[in-house]
Amino acid sequence: MIHLENLTRRYGDFVAVRDLSCRIGSGEIIGLLGRNGAGKTTTMKMLTGALEPDAGRVLIDDRDMALHRRALQKRIG
């Protein structure tokens, strides 16, 4: 399971992702839709540990990406 809790990421004064929360269950397939600059790529980078959120957290199988980055990245394909 993937759980995003109140993710926020800023680039200077521009807020790319603001207070994003969702749960994605095991085996569930989702899509991210939005216009250019909506925060899709930034969200995926935070979800994979390539970019740290300014606020909030990413949990994968109840493990915090900020604390278990390397181990969780090995599981992402």
Side-chain angles (χ1 to χ4, degrees):
M1 181 176 74
I2 298 171
H3 184 191
L4 309 179
E5 290 183 348
N6 307 106
L7 284 185
T8 297
R9 178 64 190 200
R10 294 175 184 83
Y11 294 101
D13 291 335
F14 178 72
V15 180
V17 177
R18 181 185 318 240
D19 199 31
L20 173 64
S21 296
C22 71
R23 289 181 184 264
I24 305 165
S26 181
E28 198 171 0
I29 298 172
I30 66 149
L32 291 176
L33 302 175
R35 60 180 172 71
N36 291 348
K40 300 176 302 291
T41 300
T42 298
T43 298
M44 290 303 297
K45 285 181 177 182
M46 290 187 290
L47 186 127
T48 61
L51 187 63
E52 290 191 29
D54 291 321
R57 64 186 186 154
V58 174
L59 299 168
I60 299 177
D61 293 333
D62 295 320
R63 297 177 72 189
D64 193 323
M65 180 61 79
L67 302 175
H68 305 281
R69 182 177 322 280
R70 289 278 185 218
L72 290 172
Q73 285 177 328
K74 287 180 182 180
R75 298 180 60 199
I76 296 171

